[in-house]
Amino acid sequence: MDKKWYEKNGSDGEVVISTRVRLARNLEEFPFPARCGAQLRHQVAEKVKDAVLNSNSVISSRFSSIDVDNISTGEKVSLVERHLVSPEFIGEKGEKALLLLDDESVSIMVNEEDHIRLQVMCEGFDLDHAYEQASRIDTLLDERLKFAFSDTLGYLTQCPTNLGTGMRASVMLHLPALQSAKAMRKIAENLSKLGITIRGAYGEGSEPKAGLYQLSNQITLGISEKTAIENLRNITKQLIAQELQTRAAMAKQIDVQDKIYRSEGILRSARLIDGSEALMHLSRVRFGVTSGLIKDISLETINRLIVEIQPATLMLSTGKELAPNERDAVRATLIRNNLTR
């Protein structure tokens, strides 16, 4: 099996951790999910699962189906931590299903805010690949399911803010230097004027932690998918340049170097470490790796640890429930083992 997206480092990986394209779609013959009763939602789920798992496409055999209503809370939270589903998707039960590709690069949420939320993720900065993959799967599904579409409004969605393309393209960015320089508020204000929003790594409502941000398009109506992709690409390139320029200046400062090397030392030696502290130190070490200050730790290792140290994912890997202090011990051991010289 291929490595998962968060186990790899891609193009412009010093700043861009991952790229995502998500499409919102609804089935023409069913009401929007808010007006769908349990029986109709069940029918939607069965139709979508059949369209994915029993298609003639070579990719269909690589999908597995997960009945989200019948998995543990820990498994649900881990799906969010791995950016495979939205936090809203794991809320109340409601005939929800998840179709997941074996390398976790494609996930299809059924009966979220819309009947279908198709998501493609890849490592690094690769909007073209993510969009092309999403578009191929979207076409295959439309042929079998028939999506609700208006010649004047485009794809019809439950929330009017998604009308039109129904597409949200985003990149997950590591911007520790710009965050430290307190430049993010001004950047966010300027981006909003351009139809681009920047939030925490888990999207709307999440706070940015350890320099991790999600940058995405806001406008879906009156604009083509390719134009939205190109706008996001141009903005991302500008942020990459700003971040790297700011990093280069900061990396020469002895107080910044001291924080980076202290964080490396803590991660290599700690016996107990909570999630927030671990993420802060991993962010600093990642800064150190990309600035050439730390040479024996790979970005792939840091990217993977950022996901694997999350509480639910950590417990899922051990196969048992862990008290907070037990999690802290397991987390510290996991990090030490991965950063062994």
Side-chain angles (χ1 to χ4, degrees), residues 147-247:
F147 294 144
F149 185 84
S150 163
D151 290 336
T152 54
L153 296 175
Y155 289 101
L156 303 179
T157 55
Q158 183 161 287
C159 180
T161 59
N162 290 319
L163 276 172
T165 63
M167 184 191 76
R168 298 285 181 177
S170 64
V171 288
M172 191 189 305
L173 304 171
H174 184 222
L175 304 173
L178 289 175
Q179 185 182 58
S180 180
K182 303 189 184 306
M184 295 309 301
R185 175 175 292 184
K186 184 65 175 178
I187 287 172
E189 291 173 355
N190 291 336
L191 289 177
S192 66
K193 300 171 186 175
L194 301 173
I196 302 288
T197 185
I198 190 161
R199 301 185 175 109
Y202 291 95
E204 188 172 0
S206 65
E207 290 296 319
K209 296 179 180 179
L212 296 173
Y213 291 85
Q214 185 184 103
L215 183 75
S216 62
N217 68 296
Q218 280 184 306
I219 300 171
T220 60
L221 186 62
I223 186 174
S224 72
E225 293 171 346
K226 291 188 176 180
T227 298
I229 290 284
E230 195 59 32
N231 290 344
L232 184 61
R233 189 198 321 277
N234 292 335
I235 295 295
T236 301
K237 286 180 177 179
Q238 291 177 40
L239 281 176
I240 291 171
Q242 289 179 44
E243 171 67 20
L244 292 179
Q245 183 179 26
T246 308
R247 275 188 208 178

Side-chain angles (χ1 to χ4, degrees), residues 64-190:
S64 59
S65 176
I66 300 170
D67 183 354
V68 179
D69 290 339
N70 292 307
I71 61 176
S72 70
T73 300
E75 289 174 296
K76 291 178 182 178
V77 175
S78 178
L79 290 171
V80 176
E81 291 174 350
R82 283 142 56 205
H83 297 275
L84 301 177
V85 303
S86 64
E88 295 76 18
F89 186 64
I90 64 169
E92 296 180 3
K93 291 185 177 182
E95 299 293 336
K96 295 178 181 178
L98 175 67
L99 293 149
L100 187 61
L101 200 64
D102 51 12
D103 66 358
E104 299 187 356
S105 64
V106 181
S107 61
I108 302 173
M109 292 172 270
V110 185
N111 289 326
E112 197 226 30
E113 183 177 75
D114 294 286
H115 293 144
I116 292 173
R117 285 289 176 92
L118 164 63
Q119 172 180 288
V120 174
M121 290 195 73
C122 61
E123 69 280 0
F125 188 30
D126 200 345
L127 283 163
D128 290 335
H129 170 77
Y131 172 69
E132 289 165 7
Q133 176 81 318
S135 183
R136 281 196 296 269
I137 298 173
D138 181 44
T139 300
L140 288 171
L141 291 177
D142 192 25
E143 288 173 353
R144 299 196 63 179
L145 297 172
K146 295 301 175 188
F147 294 144
F149 185 84
S150 163
D151 290 336
T152 54
L153 296 175
Y155 289 101
L156 303 179
T157 55
Q158 183 161 287
C159 180
T161 59
N162 290 319
L163 276 172
T165 63
M167 184 191 76
R168 298 285 181 177
S170 64
V171 288
M172 191 189 305
L173 304 171
H174 184 222
L175 304 173
L178 289 175
Q179 185 182 58
S180 180
K182 303 189 184 306
M184 295 309 301
R185 175 175 292 184
K186 184 65 175 178
I187 287 172
E189 291 173 355
N190 291 336

Side-chain angles (χ1 to χ4, degrees), residues 280-300:
M280 176 189 71
H281 293 310
L282 284 170
S283 175
R284 288 177 181 171
V285 168
R286 197 178 194 280
F287 184 159
V289 172
T290 60
S291 300
L293 298 172
I294 298 175
K295 302 184 184 299
D296 61 346
I297 299 175
S298 69
L299 287 179
E300 287 88 348

